[in-house]
Amino acid sequence: MAQSSFDRRRINGPEESRPVVFDDADQEDTSMARRDRGVTDIRPIFLQPGLITQANGSAYIETERTKLACAVYGPRQSKTTTYNERGRLNVDVKFAPFSCARRRAPLRDAEDRSIAIAIHQAIVSSVCLELFPKSTIDVFISIIENDGIEGCVASGSIAASTALADAGIEMLGLVASCSAAVCEDKIYLDPTEKEAAASHGTVVFACMPALSSITSICQSGRMSAEDSLKCMELCQDRCIDIHAVVAQSLLANNGGSPS
């Protein structure tokens, strides 16, 4: 009996094969030109409060490739023995292992803490902590997909403010946040990770549009004073639109209807 040439010890490939054909849309685009939106436009926002039933308040936000979930627990009694007339707001940020292009280790690093500090600075002035003596309010943010640190800070601030309002925490107003990047002679609002990496500097702007009050400004990189002021003006205009989205989502979640 003739021995077969088929080797059962190996995984044999198909008898016929064809070369892989890539679509033009899958090719890496090295240009900075935006095809889906203008340079002063932000990405569409999907915001849904109240998705985590175990938490006192929660929110899920998605802006294309930036996705994160926020849960708020409290106010609850502080474990410290010292009495404090003002409550304490804690913000914890954690990346999912699959949230970045390169898989992240399940350990906290400096990037997690820097994002948590930026979000805390953006929302702490909007919470009436003097009404919660010797109490703590814990905000946990899980980044499911990351498309730039600036986008994570801005989206995290919006989701945290929405979750605090969903939890019924006394607040002075809702916080809206937007980011901008200066690349050559153009200002890109809501930059992606690629745009932020190619820029000279970035600005993350947070405010309470209802009170016309600025809560936080984080600037990195190198830019002129004129570019910084222009970025803040453009971000402030977009924060008004974002505030309307947040208010609309909270009204829809509570069964109300916008006026």
Side-chain angles (χ1 to χ4, degrees), residues 48-66:
Q48 180 62 51
L51 286 183
I52 304 176
T53 56
Q54 295 85 356
N56 297 105
S58 61
Y60 171 80
I61 188 170
E62 179 177 326
T63 59
E64 289 187 356
R65 293 182 58 191
T66 299

Side-chain angles (χ1 to χ4, degrees), residues 9-259:
R9 294 174 298 177
R10 294 180 174 86
I11 299 177
N12 295 272
E15 297 180 358
E16 297 181 359
S17 61
R18 298 180 181 179
V20 179
V21 178
F22 294 95
D23 190 5
D24 294 338
D26 297 333
Q27 300 294 331
E28 184 178 0
D29 188 10
T30 58
S31 63
M32 289 296 297
R34 285 183 173 178
R35 298 182 179 180
D36 55 342
R37 55 191 172 105
V39 294
T40 58
D41 294 333
I42 61 176
R43 288 169 285 188
I45 297 176
F46 173 79
L47 181 63
Q48 180 62 51
L51 286 183
I52 304 176
T53 56
Q54 295 85 356
N56 297 105
S58 61
Y60 171 80
I61 188 170
E62 179 177 326
T63 59
E64 289 187 356
R65 293 182 58 191
T66 299
K67 305 177 181 68
L68 54 88
C70 177
V72 172
Y73 297 90
R76 48 193 176 186
Q77 185 176 2
S78 177
K79 296 181 181 179
T80 60
T81 57
T82 58
Y83 177 79
N84 194 349
E85 295 182 356
R86 288 176 56 87
R88 182 176 180 180
L89 180 67
N90 301 321
V91 178
D92 183 85
V93 175
K94 185 177 181 180
F95 282 88
F98 50 82
S99 60
C100 303
R102 178 177 295 180
R103 186 174 180 85
R104 298 178 65 101
L107 301 176
R108 295 194 60 185
D109 52 17
E111 194 173 40
D112 298 343
R113 289 188 288 269
S114 62
I115 295 176
I117 292 172
I119 295 176
H120 180 273
Q121 184 178 357
I123 65 174
V124 66
S125 59
S126 67
V127 184
C128 300
L129 295 177
E130 63 275 4
L131 300 179
F132 308 103
K134 202 180 178 181
S135 300
T136 59
I137 301 173
D138 298 317
V139 179
F140 296 95
I141 298 176
S142 299
I143 299 178
I144 303 171
E145 187 173 1
N146 169 31
D147 191 19
I149 300 302
E150 294 77 14
C152 290
V153 174
S155 299
S157 302
I158 298 170
S161 181
T162 306
L164 287 169
D166 182 61
I169 305 296
E170 294 287 342
M171 302 173 64
L172 298 175
L174 296 172
V175 174
S177 181
C178 184
S179 59
V182 178
C183 186
E184 295 178 354
D185 57 343
K186 293 183 179 179
I187 296 177
Y188 291 80
L189 284 185
D190 194 12
T192 62
E193 186 176 12
K194 174 185 172 183
E195 293 170 347
S199 64
H200 305 299
T202 59
V203 172
V204 181
F205 180 89
C207 67
M208 289 185 287
L211 301 179
S212 300
S213 176
I214 299 174
T215 60
S216 174
I217 299 175
C218 297
Q219 178 182 335
S220 62
R222 182 179 60 185
M223 66 178 66
S224 62
E226 292 77 8
D227 289 339
S228 299
L229 293 175
K230 184 64 175 177
C231 289
M232 288 186 283
E233 291 177 1
L234 293 174
C235 289
Q236 190 171 14
D237 294 338
R238 289 295 174 266
C239 283
I240 298 175
D241 301 332
I242 297 173
H243 181 268
V245 174
V246 175
Q248 176 77 20
S249 64
L250 289 171
L251 283 173
N253 183 63
N254 293 330
S257 57
S259 57

